[in-house]
Amino acid sequence: MAHINDNYLKLKAGYLFPEIGRRVRAFAEANPQAKVIRLGIGDVTRPLPPAILKAFHEAVDDLARVETFAGYGPEQGYDFLINTIIEKSYNPLGVTLKTSEMFISDGSKCDCANILDIFALDNVVAIGDPVYPVYNDTNVMIGRTGEADEKGYYKGIVYMPCNEANGFFPAYPKEKVDIIYLCFPNNPTGAVATKAQLKGWVDYALQNHAIILFDAAYEAFITEPGYPHSIYEIEGAKKCAVEFRSFSKTAGFTGVRCGLVVVPEELEGTTTNGEKYSVNKLWLRRQTTKFNGASYPVQKAAAAVYSAEGWQQTKEIIDYYMENARIIREGMKAAGLTVYGGVNAPYIWLKTPSGMSSWDFFDKLLTECNVVGTPGSGFGPSGEGFFRLSAFGNRDSVIEAVARIRQNLK
Ligand code: MLT
């Protein structure tokens, strides 16, 4: 009989969001009259903006004609998209990139997981706590860890607690680490990093020959000036950082699927023999073997995000979600809760009332208010006692959810 990868058996429970979905379905089945409002998973609700939809339709029509038909595209992504992103999204930040340094994909979740392919298992990985669960779980799946302890920390991973005391910004690990995950604006806490804070991490990584995996999936939701949208705004970052970006939340592509990874040519790791080797070359090798690129119509639609019309429409939707974030943040404060995030990120991170556990608060909101959020402990042990609300709902639902919670907590 074939042996399974029993690293999977070390995983504590189902993946967080399907687990929440399962509980909500069970509740809805038992209470069919309940009007459940979902502010749990960060899934977008606004439809694709017209300029993007038009480009999408036109690209599908291209597939209907011999002269414009597109089969396999470049595994790395079409130049028309890569060059547009560099010109419209990176150059205005003062960041120059070569076409060969960007890789288009079918989403950031897969990229965050797949990148582990090109790093040896004996690397020590540092992860924030709480954190987007994909970073942790994929390291468990690949076999980099031992079992979890009673708190939920896996042996072999260095956890960097992010809490009220440190402003949800991780301190440098005491032990030597090789790979560091950073996510800003942060999922789930909504914290955003300043340039000085990111510079600290870049300098740390350079001094310690570590690589930063920088998840910038929520950069478009930074509303205040002065915060870095890319780690490459920090000098030296091209020598120590990979950056992930996503069209999912920015442009409503959670169902369409498109993301990107930047792997600078200056970035190097070492072989077992201690020789330096280009990380960009390895990732290209990995992608050309294991991936055939995001689909042509999707890449055309993604490029349309950066047209003048496309960006204006996209920005209006981002503003819509950030207005939701304001409504949630202020509503939860008015309900007497301690609230973080929601200013430069589409997530509101709140402290549960009277020290309730995250899952107890989840059950309370589900059963008493029929509102779904995400228990903070699902993002890691330091998330216990916290709760995340997503700003990606419809305005009416958001207003209704806030009113129900305020009424309940009176
Ligand atoms: C979240 O709710 O944290 C995100 O939607 C998860 C994801 O982007 O995969």
Side-chain angles (χ1 to χ4, degrees), residues 15 17 40-42 109 132 187 218 249 347 379 388:
Y15 183 57
F17 295 107
I41 189 165
K109 187 187 203 175
Y132 179 40
N187 178 13
Y218 298 95
K249 318 296 159 88
Y347 295 121
F379 297 100
R388 193 193 77 175

Side-chain angles (χ1 to χ4, degrees), residues 96-98 100-101 206 211 232 234-241 263-269 276-281:
T96 53
L97 292 172
K98 295 183 195 155
S100 54
E101 294 179 304
L206 291 171
I211 288 183
Y232 304 118
I234 312 299
E235 205 189 327
K238 283 189 184 171
K239 287 194 186 317
C240 67
V263 189
E265 287 183 353
E266 291 169 47
L267 184 66
E268 290 178 322
K276 292 192 169 157
Y277 199 88
S278 157
V279 176
N280 177 289
K281 268 193 195 158

Side-chain angles (χ1 to χ4, degrees), residues 169-173 180 182 184 193-208 210 212 228 231 234-235 237 240:
F169 193 82
Y172 307 124
I180 302 152
L182 293 179
F184 290 104
T194 63
K195 278 197 176 151
Q197 284 174 319
L198 272 196
K199 182 175 180 331
W201 271 106
V202 167
D203 292 347
Y204 176 91
L206 291 171
Q207 273 157 24
N208 292 280
I212 296 173
I231 196 162
I234 312 299
E235 205 189 327
C240 67

